[in-house]
Amino acid sequence: GLSGFGYLDSTSNYPLLGGKSFPFEAGMRVPLAMRWPSHIKPGSVSAERVIGMDFYPTFLEAAGLPLKPEQHKDGLSLLPVMTGTGDLAERPLVFHFPHYTGYTGPNSTFIENHWKLIRFYCLADDQSDVFELYHLQNDLSETKNLAAQQPAKVKELNALITGFLRDTEAVVPQRNPNYNPKATPPAANPKAKGKKKYHHRLQPHPPRRRKPRRPLKRLPRPSCRRRRQPPRRPARSRSAPSAVKT
């Protein structure tokens, strides 16, 4: 988990930013390995960016079945990339995460032509959305937010996010009318000692050297002496009842 606002202590995805559930590259880029003898060349590598929805049309085409575009609108067949016969067509990628986790909040991400816009919902004090814009080809670590320098690009990509969410009837977080940024926060839970509050921003960090673990202290073995059982009493024999004389 997070041990602070600056890094994920449990792992390092350097030079990528973030980790699981974060909209940054370390939370989105996952290695994908495939094996298909006589079709995929061993040791071949591709830098194509794919998504989970690509599996369905890929399996259909690999099995020799007709594609069903009405069922996999967001996916493309990866067969040309797998067999080395072609590349995927240029397409925008949209990721919608309308949930809270321990350290991340609801967000939507739009990626197209190396541009990446992240919309954090209701993150400002007035519950307005916060935007972060990056050019992944020039800034893979996502350290330079270009939203203030490129307002036209932010408006363009944000409109595409809004259109996609509307067309797919996605659930979008709404503002809380009872939210008061000046309200006194509730008393801290004593059981939550050491936990950090939610913060959407991280910094990429190189792997840290961990302290060597202490050797486990061996505890004395318990005695294997078997407990003495009390002697059993002999079972009483029950004789048949004597015949009654009349």
Side-chain angles (χ1 to χ4, degrees), residues 1 9 21 25 35 37 39 51-52 60 81 85 128 133 138 142 148 153 201 205 219 237:
D9 189 46
S21 81
E25 288 301 281
R35 181 178 181 271
H39 290 82
I51 54 178
L60 288 176
V81 180
T85 58
S128 60
L133 178 68
N138 301 330
E142 297 170 288
K153 178 60 70 172
R201 197 75 185 101
H205 72 286
L219 300 177
S237 60

Side-chain angles (χ1 to χ4, degrees), residues 8 11-31 49 116 140-142 202 204:
L8 288 165
T11 187
S12 172
N13 297 304
Y14 185 82
L16 303 182
L17 177 63
K20 184 176 180 180
S21 81
F22 282 84
F24 305 109
E25 288 301 281
M28 292 186 169
R29 292 179 178 241
V30 181
R49 190 159 193 157
K116 178 178 180 179
L140 187 61
S141 298
E142 297 170 288
L202 299 174

Side-chain angles (χ1 to χ4, degrees), residues 18-200:
K20 184 176 180 180
S21 81
F22 282 84
F24 305 109
E25 288 301 281
M28 292 186 169
R29 292 179 178 241
V30 181
L32 174 61
M34 291 186 174
R35 181 178 181 271
W36 192 7
S38 73
H39 290 82
I40 299 179
K41 183 180 178 182
S44 57
V45 179
S46 173
E48 290 282 357
R49 190 159 193 157
V50 302
I51 54 178
M53 283 73 81
D54 294 332
F55 290 129
Y56 182 26
T58 301
F59 295 154
L60 288 176
E61 187 174 3
L65 299 175
L67 299 181
K68 300 180 179 181
E70 70 281 357
Q71 296 183 5
H72 47 76
K73 295 182 179 179
D74 298 331
L76 298 175
S77 174
L78 304 179
L79 216 58
V81 180
M82 295 164 54
T83 57
T85 58
D87 298 325
L88 296 182
E90 289 291 334
R91 58 171 172 172
L93 296 178
V94 185
F95 303 88
H96 184 51
F97 190 82
H99 314 287
Y100 282 96
T101 67
Y103 297 95
T104 57
N107 60 80
S108 293
T109 304
F110 190 92
I111 302 176
E112 185 179 31
N113 296 330
H114 303 295
W115 285 105
K116 178 178 180 179
L117 179 69
I118 307 174
R119 177 204 286 181
F120 293 98
Y121 291 95
C122 310
L123 188 61
D125 290 338
D126 60 352
Q127 294 195 73
S128 60
D129 299 337
V130 173
F131 297 94
E132 295 192 10
L133 178 68
Y134 302 99
H135 194 276
L136 298 179
Q137 189 176 24
N138 301 330
D139 182 23
L140 187 61
S141 298
E142 297 170 288
T143 59
K144 301 176 183 177
N145 183 9
L146 304 175
Q149 306 173 22
Q150 300 276 355
K153 178 60 70 172
V154 172
K155 184 177 180 180
E156 173 191 349
L157 299 182
N158 186 45
L160 295 175
I161 292 178
T162 302
F164 176 85
L165 299 179
R166 180 185 63 248
D167 296 341
T168 56
E169 300 180 359
V171 177
V172 179
Q174 303 295 324
R175 296 187 181 187
N176 181 5
N178 300 320
Y179 174 71
N180 181 11
K182 298 182 180 180
T184 303
N189 184 0
K191 295 182 179 180
K193 185 178 180 181
K195 289 187 176 181
K196 303 297 182 179
K197 63 180 181 179
Y198 157 68
H199 196 273
H200 82 286

